[in-house]
């Protein structure tokens, strides 16, 4: 399999991105993108609900802030950075203000890939997805580095959509960190799978199952919490910094041997089959349909499942123990360089 190309600053032409740029939504990603693009020399207009918290925050940061349709009317490049489930409503509001050849950008392909919005054929439609939270995207940009990003093209009406996406990546620090080309389908499906099978669903279920196994066997809940949740950060940090090899460099030989012989007993062929089923639901659109219908119904199933998740015994044990961890308390790191 050929090595994936990683695009850098040299591959992006800043002139391909015409201003002003509209940032619709001013949450974690929206705020970081808006500030980075402004510092890269682009005129930025923030589109947010008048008198809402997002509009107030953008105004405090010195941005001209207007309604989403007003921002779209004045921009040639519109970044739609509101939550996925709002895209249909927001796009319906801004579409009449978009001119042929304008570019619409999203940071996650869900709404486009699953047909929640169907952009007009006379628009460029692209994706730019930094692989990190907004505060990290901003911090790395400020020190002259960047967070790796993905980009993709869904529609190329102008013939320059790809160049626009790369220029946006550059302005946001993405090409400094390294940018990889993908597709809307690949970005969306892998992102959902990672969240569900590994990062959120898989990790939380593994942690709680381990905790419950120890408590059921008669061990103290506090000890079970430390071993199954608290110390997870140590391992994740090592893997984040240098993959499996760095983890193996820093754990004991006893831990390594247990990893090698017992890991496959927990994550086995049956687990992988369940992962394939999760992926199949994502690829077929079944998960997306379920989530859209759940939102339309007012999220009763979601609310019940979330409430049950947060009422688990491990949450009560953890809350009591974390009260003693001074470094986790608000302001604990204040004044540090």
């Amino acid at each position: 399999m050929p090595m994936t190309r990683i695009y850098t600053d040299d591959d992006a032409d800043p002139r391909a991105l015409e201003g002003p740029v509209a940032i619709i939504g001013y949450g974690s990603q929206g705020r970081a993108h808006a500030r980075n693009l402004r510092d890269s020399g682009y005129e930025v207009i923030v589109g947010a609900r008048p008198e809402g918290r997002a509009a107030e925050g953008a105004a405090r940061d010195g941005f001209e802030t207007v309604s989403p349709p007003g921002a779209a009317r004045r921009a040639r490049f519109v970044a739609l950075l509101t939550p996925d489930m709002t895209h249909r409503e927001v796009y319906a509001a801004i579409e009449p203000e978009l001119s042929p050849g304008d570019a619409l950008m999203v940071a996650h392909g869900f709404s486009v890939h699953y047909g929640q919005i169907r952009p007009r054929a006379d628009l460029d439609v692209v994706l730019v997805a930094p692989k990190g939270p907004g505060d990290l995207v901003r911090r790395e940009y400020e020190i002259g580095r960047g967070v790796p990003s993905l980009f993709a093209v869904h529609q190329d009406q102008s013939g320059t959509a790809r160049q626009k996406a790369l220029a946006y990546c550059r302005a946001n620090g993405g090409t400094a960190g390294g940018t990889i080309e993908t597709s809307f389908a690949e970005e969306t499906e892998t992102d959902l799978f990672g969240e569900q099978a590994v990062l959120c669903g898989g990790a939380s279920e593994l942690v709680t199952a381990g905790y419950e196994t120890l408590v059921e066997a008669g061990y103290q809940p506090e000890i079970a919490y430390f071993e199954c949740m608290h110390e997870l950060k140590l391992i994740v940090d090592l893997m984040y910094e240098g993959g499996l090899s760095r983890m193996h460099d820093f754990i004991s030989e006893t831990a390594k041997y247990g990893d090698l012989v017992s890991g496959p007993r927990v994550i086995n062929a049956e687990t992988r089959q369940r992962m394939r089923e999760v992926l199949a639901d994502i690829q077929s659109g079944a998960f997306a349909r379920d989530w859209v219908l759940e939102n339309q119904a007012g999220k009763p199933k979601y609310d019940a499942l979330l409430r049950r998740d947060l009422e688990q015994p491990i949450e009560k044990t953890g809350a009591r123990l974390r009260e003693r961890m001074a470094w986790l308390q608000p302001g604990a790191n204040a004044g540090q360089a």
Side-chain angles (χ1 to χ4, degrees), residues 153-283:
V153 175
H154 178 71
Q155 289 181 184
D156 184 11
Q157 188 277 336
S158 70
T160 60
R162 193 167 177 277
Q163 292 91 318
K164 292 175 186 177
L166 272 171
Y168 188 101
C169 284
R170 191 181 194 279
N172 200 35
T175 48
T179 293
I180 295 174
E181 188 167 11
T182 183
S183 66
F184 272 63
E186 183 177 55
E187 186 278 333
T188 303
E189 292 169 4
T190 57
D191 184 84
L192 293 175
F193 176 80
E195 290 170 348
Q196 294 176 30
V198 181
L199 306 177
C200 303
S204 61
E205 286 298 315
L206 187 64
V207 165
T208 54
Y211 171 89
E212 290 167 359
T213 299
L214 289 176
V215 173
E216 289 170 0
Y219 298 102
Q220 296 178 73
E222 293 80 7
I223 305 301
Y225 175 85
F226 281 128
E227 297 303 331
C228 295
M229 181 177 280
H230 178 79
E231 294 191 18
L232 181 65
K233 181 183 187 308
L234 307 178
I235 301 303
V236 170
D237 283 352
L238 291 171
M239 291 194 291
Y240 179 81
E241 292 165 6
L244 298 178
S245 60
R246 183 166 175 82
M247 179 193 74
H248 286 306
D249 284 343
F250 281 82
I251 63 176
S252 69
E253 287 197 334
T254 303
K256 278 189 274 194
Y257 184 66
D259 169 353
L260 299 172
V261 301
S262 296
R265 297 173 64 192
V266 177
I267 308 301
N268 53 27
E270 182 179 355
T271 312
R272 288 181 172 81
Q273 177 57 32
R274 297 291 178 264
M275 286 184 170
R276 294 187 190 99
E277 293 169 6
V278 169
L279 181 57
D281 282 347
I282 292 168
Q283 292 171 325

